Amino acid sequence: MIRATVDAPDVARAFYNAHAFIPARSPIPLALIRVTPQGVYTSGTDSYAAGTDFAKASGFLGEPTDVLVGRDDLLALERCAREAKKVVATVEVRSDGLTVEPIGCHPVTVPVHLSPEQLELHHRLTDIIGAAEKRPGVIPGVMTLDPVLWSRFAKVKADKSERMADVLMTDGYEPVLIKIGPTFKGLLMPIEREIHETNIGPEGLW
């Protein structure tokens, strides 16, 4: 058994922000939930944009572990933690599922899934974010972004409503690193301008 103790509003936000990056028809329908002594980490992606978040733990039992949960199940966990308001909640991983139980509220248990390919993809997201944070920031002359993908970042919840997106760019082809508040980090993949021009035409490009 693996169990982390977290503040319910914090883990609700982490679940929500991962869910915002898994569209209904995503080719990657499973979100990662990582339970560690430091806290509960979440990530969601469709391979074009990604969102990760973190809820700090005040207690932990067991060994660090990663599990995958479905998109709808992630939303059920978010609702459970959000409706509990400002209380402490436990996030518990067993062989048959993952349970969120806020103090004084009914627990919610969802199944966990096995998919080595999707698990590896989520691990790569962590690596890409870490590498992007170490690169020097560069303002490219031009960059092509999909407005639909960019709009997902408008859904992100942070610790304060006044938070804005802090953007780190390296060139016109590497993923854009986006930080909102102290815990959310996301990636947005630019469109290759040459391919876009070939497919759509030069109109609309600089």
Side-chain angles (χ1 to χ4, degrees), residues 147-167:
V148 173
L149 300 180
W150 177 252
S151 68
R152 292 179 193 168
F153 292 89
K155 301 178 183 178
V156 171
K157 294 182 179 180
D159 60 328
K160 300 176 182 179
S161 59
E162 298 85 1
R163 293 288 187 187
M164 300 297 172
D166 210 33
V167 179

Side-chain angles (χ1 to χ4, degrees), residues 30-195:
L30 301 178
L32 172 72
I33 298 179
R34 177 177 297 147
V35 185
T36 74
Q38 291 72 41
V40 177
Y41 167 93
T42 64
S43 69
T45 184
D46 63 353
S47 80
Y48 299 104
T52 71
D53 210 336
F54 180 79
K56 185 178 179 180
S58 57
F60 183 78
L61 175 67
E63 297 292 332
T65 190
D66 291 350
V67 295
L68 297 171
V69 302
R71 178 180 184 272
D72 292 341
D73 290 331
L74 184 65
L75 192 59
L77 296 174
E78 185 269 335
R79 287 172 176 165
C80 173
R82 173 170 47 85
E83 292 172 358
K85 306 298 181 183
K86 295 182 179 181
V87 300
V88 170
T90 58
V91 179
E92 185 174 298
V93 180
R94 294 179 179 270
S95 59
D96 59 344
L98 182 144
T99 299
V100 171
E101 184 173 5
I103 290 179
C105 302
H106 293 292
V108 169
T109 299
V110 300
V112 296
H113 300 267
L114 294 176
S115 175
E117 296 82 6
Q118 294 193 39
L119 185 62
E120 174 61 23
L121 189 146
H122 283 286
H123 288 167
R124 286 171 54 198
L125 286 179
T126 304
D127 295 338
I128 293 171
I129 289 174
E133 289 180 305
K134 297 176 182 177
R135 289 196 296 264
V138 175
I139 303 299
V142 290
M143 176 181 284
T144 303
L145 300 175
D146 185 339
V148 173
L149 300 180
W150 177 252
S151 68
R152 292 179 193 168
F153 292 89
K155 301 178 183 178
V156 171
K157 294 182 179 180
D159 60 328
K160 300 176 182 179
S161 59
E162 298 85 1
R163 293 288 187 187
M164 300 297 172
D166 210 33
V167 179
L168 177 63
M169 302 178 184
T170 53
D171 60 33
Y173 298 92
E174 293 293 330
V176 178
L177 180 62
I178 300 168
K179 183 176 181 182
I180 302 175
T183 59
F184 174 86
K185 295 176 183 178
L187 294 169
L188 177 59
M189 195 66 193
I191 305 297
E192 291 194 25
R193 299 183 78 252
E194 294 81 2
I195 295 176

